Amino acid sequence: MIDVARIRNDFPILSRRVNGKPLVYLDNAATTQKPNAVIDALTHYYRNTNANIHRGVHTLAAEAERDYDAARAKVARFINAPQESSVIFTRNTTEAVNLAAYGWAREFLKPGDEIIVTVMEHHSNYVPWQLVMQDTGATLKIVDIADDGTLRLDEYAKLITPRTRLVCVTHASNVLGTVNPVRQMADLAHKVDAKILVDGAQAAPHMPVDVQGLDCDFYAFSAHKMLGPTGIGVLYGKDEVLRTMRPFLAGGDMIREVKRDTSSWNVLPYKYEAGTPNIADTIAFGTAIDYLNGVGMPEVRAHEIEITRYVLDTLSHFRGLTIYGPRDAAARGGTVSFNLDGIHPHDLGTVLDHAGIAIRAGHHCAQPLMRRLGCVATARASFYLYNTREEVDALAEALREAQALFKRTGTPQKTGIS
Ligand code: 7TS
């Protein structure tokens, strides 16, 4: 078991108060808090080694480049990539998916080709494929969920045809918590020679990830959801796929030679990293990975299952509370969406904030899923390695108070897309 009390000491923000109450931070699916080591890595870089990389001959440039390259090596090991050059740095998951959409899909898809997505995708892994569809003439097919929030694998198997060229699926849902059977899906996709892109934004931070074991062609994720800074993310791609793609952004660093009318491209990964990269945040991302490795990803996952089980058990005692997503904590992530009868999730979020509890309310950038669930919005509590059972108890207590408050005042539930 991990030592949560010791871990909490590493996160300065967790000791602050909000509205006179100790902060209970349950919005980790949106972004996570940062340990001292990550904050220190940022300031250390700017105080000691700030320089541009891949062009300087001086000591600072060499040190900055060494630390930047070391971060790439850490990311590659973290996801078991076969080589460092398969790790492309982007701004975030969104940019990583768009890199695949521009570099691969727009280059290779033709009218009549099919892209399969799921109804539980975040807009970042949905809207880019709508645009690809418009630009290439490919069509979009959508895999439904079962009523327990798991993906309809039977339906997925039926949607796959010889015209399927790409499957886009989230590894773990940011609303339902569902962890999808990515390897099984990859095997079916590869049988018809399709590629599979996995959105790992809600999985890479929470469980050991092995991109070779998953056999995915692309894997996208963001540092800020795994203790790292904002502004840095990753697109992992299989070497043979990355080699064939067209550059997405053009400019400095990504070229080998520029002639009057044409250019040739730099080697991987630089072919897809035009311009001065986000050096400081990348180095601090490496520090976040060191931190997670220090705790141990199997331990992070075990803690998440334990606390999710406690949350699901606690919430199941509430009358008028609907939980969305699988009930088996071992088969899901620590993101728990719910609605309380008669209270709009935004009102609930505001009441909880008065108690110092940060949750998210809204459609969670998953409007197709909201429509499928038959609601316009949900409340969502999402957990990470520093969350405690006491915080779950504080959430339950605040929910009870909210129920009592709204029973007294009888505020009707608002409607409309939030
Ligand atoms: N994919 C999933 C599954 C996500 O949960 C998110 C962000 C993204 C992609 C996009 O990540 P970004 O770093 O590019 O923004 N999810 C959320 C959320 O659930 N609440 O705020 C952000």
Side-chain angles (χ1 to χ4, degrees), residues 121-288:
E121 297 311 308
H122 187 280
H123 295 164
S124 299
N125 198 26
Y126 198 96
V127 182
W129 308 117
Q130 292 178 326
L131 294 182
V132 164
M133 191 171 72
Q134 290 163 14
D135 289 355
T136 64
T139 55
L140 209 57
K141 288 175 157 182
I142 302 166
V143 191
D144 196 11
I145 50 170
D147 288 338
D148 67 355
T150 56
L151 198 68
R152 290 271 310 271
L153 258 192
D154 57 329
E155 197 181 271
Y156 170 67
K158 283 191 200 134
L159 290 180
I160 291 240
T161 74
R163 309 192 81 160
T164 308
R165 300 294 312 279
L166 179 67
V167 173
C168 305
V169 60
T170 192
H171 197 172
S173 161
N174 69 320
V175 176
L176 304 166
T178 310
V179 176
N180 287 315
V182 167
R183 176 60 201 243
Q184 255 175 293
M185 295 177 75
D187 288 347
L188 281 179
H190 291 146
K191 269 201 184 129
V192 294
D193 237 1
K195 306 277 183 257
I196 180 165
L197 178 143
V198 180
D199 173 349
Q202 299 293 349
H206 299 278
M207 62 187 76
V209 167
D210 174 357
V211 289
Q212 295 185 74
L214 295 174
D215 199 21
C216 52
D217 298 281
F218 297 107
Y219 195 93
F221 55 107
S222 300
H224 71 93
K225 293 187 197 287
M226 47 195 292
L227 311 182
T230 49
I232 183 71
V234 171
L235 180 70
Y236 157 81
K238 276 185 184 167
D239 188 65
E240 66 266 26
V241 180
L242 291 178
R243 279 180 194 285
T244 60
M245 278 165 48
R246 189 163 193 263
F248 170 34
L249 297 172
D253 260 8
M254 51 76 74
I255 52 87
R256 184 166 55 207
E257 194 182 2
V258 178
K259 298 202 181 133
R260 184 185 179 280
D261 294 323
T262 57
S263 297
S264 55
W265 313 131
N266 203 342
V267 295
L268 295 175
Y270 310 111
K271 176 179 170 187
Y272 301 110
E273 292 182 1
T276 299
N278 186 348
I279 305 166
D281 292 318
T282 306
I283 292 170
F285 181 21
T287 308

